[in-house]
Amino acid sequence: MSGGAPIDPWLLDKLVCPVTRTPLRWDAARQALVSDAAGLAYPMRDGVPVLVARAAVAV
């Protein structure tokens, strides 16, 4: 998926940050799901979002 999220848009719409329970957005530059409210980026591993706070990095 060139430029788009490597995750189904329907699923991306349902996912929330495990820390703040706010929506996530795809950041193509980071190749991660970002929680603007928490200031965290959650990685994707093998096409699967890793929504664990200790796996996230600060943005």
Side-chain angles (χ1 to χ4, degrees):
M1 297 177 130
S2 177
I7 190 166
D8 184 292
W10 178 88
L11 180 58
L12 181 57
D13 190 48
K14 306 296 181 240
L15 294 176
V16 295
C17 172
V19 175
T20 63
R21 304 310 243 181
T22 57
L24 297 168
R25 67 174 172 82
W26 174 249
D27 186 319
R30 287 188 175 90
Q31 292 292 298
L33 294 169
V34 174
S35 168
D36 292 315
L40 296 171
Y42 297 93
M44 294 282 287
R45 294 196 186 126
D46 297 322
V48 177
V50 181
L51 298 178
V52 178
R54 69 176 177 255
V57 294
V59 293

